[in-house]
Amino acid sequence: MDFKGSHILSIQQFEQDDIDNIFTVADAMLPYARRQKVTRVLEGAIMGNMFFEASTRTRVSFGSAFNLLGGDVRETTGFESSAIAKGESLYDTARVLSGYSDVVCMRHPKAGSVAEFAEASRVPVINGGDGSNEHPTQALLDLYTIRKELASKGRGVDGSRIAMIGDLKFGRTVHSLCKLLCLYKNIHVSLVSPKELSMPDELIETLRSSGHTVSVSEELTASIANVDIAYSTRIQEERFQSREEADLYRGRFRLNQSIYTEFCEPNTVIMHPLPRDSRAEANELDVDLDKNPNLAIFRQADNGVVVRMALFALVLDVAHLVDQYAQDVRWFPGIGR
Ligand code: NCD
């Protein structure tokens, strides 16, 4: 695809070459994300970061990624602080805000709303999650992480075995990830959820018609016994009618170090889009895994910055100019990046 000026709305818009392109640019962003160099390539550009649903990582990493390229960020969070609370339509909001920004990132609770916004926008729009539909940038950073983690163990994405665990009905990250895996070959996908929260049938069908094998189960330990990646997710409480309904499923699949030691292969990589629900009644990934070197959740979150930098650089057509506008870092660059 031609990234220049394009919206990033769904994983379905990408082909294999596009993914390789994004990941090559993301790799080139690492020295900037690690503060070994700074670049001013987007100096003067403005990103509108519009988040109408709770977010920490996605919102802040979009903002940091844009800042790291030298651009400025204007942020709107929550309906109550925007004119949508006064009855303004998405169309009008998009017409107006796209006049103030060079690119807009948006999260919204309604499926399809970011695409609707993009139709009216005069600048590229990047989907930061639309309801339980899609979260394309998360899937990209997830796959970037899977590739890196597996490569460090001498393996590749083709032929790998991936378990997705938790709320597979409402979890937009796993929906986008399934679509992205369809660009690869011969993957075994093990889906573990309460049957009421199972992966939508059309996504299972999409995986199978791409040549992948899919197993569906309500049993955690057997399903994580033979996988390269165990990708855990949170019960998406905000999509249920009530907290009580979400409580029926919370805590159903808990992974901790003793279960890992007993059932997983020693190299299984543990992932989670985060936030993990660390309340006692949920605790899908116990903190006793934090010392496990195969717990990749914080590396995964870090990878969000370079992947989002790559998307900005491609959409605004400056990927080839980033190094030209580079400078040395003048400050003490922190510890352990
Ligand atoms: C996810 C989301 O918002 O869909 N979080 C994220 O963006 N990293 C997953 C979640 O909230 O459970």
Side-chain angles (χ1 to χ4, degrees):
M1 69 177 269
D2 185 7
F3 280 93
K4 185 171 155 186
S6 291
H7 301 305
I8 306 292
L9 299 174
S10 165
I11 285 298
Q12 268 149 323
Q13 71 193 80
F14 299 122
E15 291 173 12
Q16 180 68 66
D17 284 354
D18 304 322
I19 305 302
D20 294 344
N21 192 1
I22 295 168
F23 290 172
T24 303
V25 178
D27 285 341
M29 298 299 157
L30 273 168
Y32 301 98
R34 290 180 178 149
R35 317 295 199 273
Q36 291 154 353
K37 285 193 278 183
V38 287
T39 178
R40 308 301 307 162
V41 71
L42 286 185
E43 187 155 35
I46 296 175
M47 185 266 272
N49 212 16
M50 302 178 57
F51 273 68
F52 297 117
E53 254 193 344
S55 174
T56 302
R57 264 149 298 274
T58 308
R59 180 173 55 83
V60 179
S61 70
F62 266 131
S64 296
F66 206 76
N67 289 150
L68 283 165
L69 291 167
D72 290 319
V73 179
R74 293 277 167 273
E75 203 155 271
T76 307
T77 50
F79 289 113
E80 63 291 343
S81 57
S82 100
I84 291 182
K86 298 180 181 174
E88 186 167 57
S89 67
L90 266 184
Y91 179 90
D92 287 3
T93 310
R95 294 296 299 170
V96 171
L97 281 175
S98 56
Y100 302 160
S101 319
D102 297 281
V103 59
V104 171
C105 300
M106 187 178 182
R107 169 171 289 187
H108 193 286
K110 192 169 143 242
S113 54
V114 181
E116 187 186 332
F117 183 95
E119 287 233 332
S121 171
R122 292 175 272 166
V123 298
V125 174
I126 302 184
N127 184 358
D130 62 320
S132 54
N133 181 36
E134 276 230 37
H135 194 344
T137 64
Q138 179 71 41
L140 289 168
L141 78 89
D142 288 343
L143 183 68
Y144 183 79
T145 306
I146 291 171
R147 248 175 51 145
K148 264 195 156 169
E149 296 289 324
L150 292 184
S152 74
K153 296 168 177 19
R155 286 179 260 161
V157 179
D158 289 338
S160 61
R161 304 155 300 164
I162 302 178
M164 299 182 194
I165 304 147
D167 184 349
L168 307 183
K169 176 181 180 186
F170 294 120
R172 55 192 169 200
T173 72
V174 284
H175 296 168
S176 288
L177 185 57
C178 283
K179 292 178 184 172
L180 189 48
L181 292 179
C182 291
L183 297 176
Y184 293 80
K185 291 191 190 67
N186 236 351
I187 297 176
H188 180 70
V189 184
S190 169
L191 302 173
V192 190
S193 71
K195 65 175 179 313
E196 299 84 350
L197 301 183
S198 58
M199 183 67 79
D201 286 342
E202 62 272 20
L203 284 170
I204 298 181
E205 201 30 59
T206 307
L207 285 167
R208 288 195 170 129
S209 58
S210 306
H212 302 324
T213 52
V214 180
S215 63
V216 175
S217 168
E218 290 193 75
E219 174 57 50
L220 177 69
T221 51
S223 310
I224 56 174
N226 297 298
V227 295
D228 302 298
I229 306 282
Y231 185 108
S232 170
T233 65
R234 178 181 68 88
I235 299 299
Q236 306 284 291
E237 179 178 336
E238 61 277 33
R239 312 265 175 249
F240 289 81
Q241 301 293 338
S242 65
R243 202 199 139 104
E244 290 67 39
E245 197 191 344
D247 283 341
L248 296 175
Y249 307 107
R250 230 191 287 275
R252 195 77 75 85
F253 305 111
R254 299 163 188 260
L255 183 56
N256 59 28
Q257 186 55 48
S258 75
I259 293 174
Y260 183 92
T261 308
E262 187 175 347
F263 295 98
C264 292
E265 291 175 1
N267 265 336
T268 299
V269 176
I270 307 162
M271 293 177 59
H272 192 301
L274 300 180
R276 58 177 155 173
D277 186 343
S278 292
R279 291 171 287 192
E281 63 274 26
N283 207 26
E284 60 252 8
L285 283 186
D286 198 281
V287 290
D288 73 358
L289 289 162
D290 289 4
K291 291 199 184 69
N292 185 326
N294 289 311
L295 184 79
I297 56 176
F298 299 119
R299 295 191 287 278
Q300 184 182 357
D302 279 353
N303 288 337
V305 173
V306 285
V307 167
R308 292 183 170 116
M309 287 176 80
L311 290 171
F312 288 132
L314 287 164
V315 164
L316 297 175
D317 197 28
V318 293
H320 58 297
L321 297 174
V322 172
D323 291 338
Q324 198 176 310
Y325 288 86
Q327 298 168 8
D328 290 337
V329 175
R330 287 178 290 272
W331 64 91
F332 176 67
I335 294 166
R337 279 216 167 88

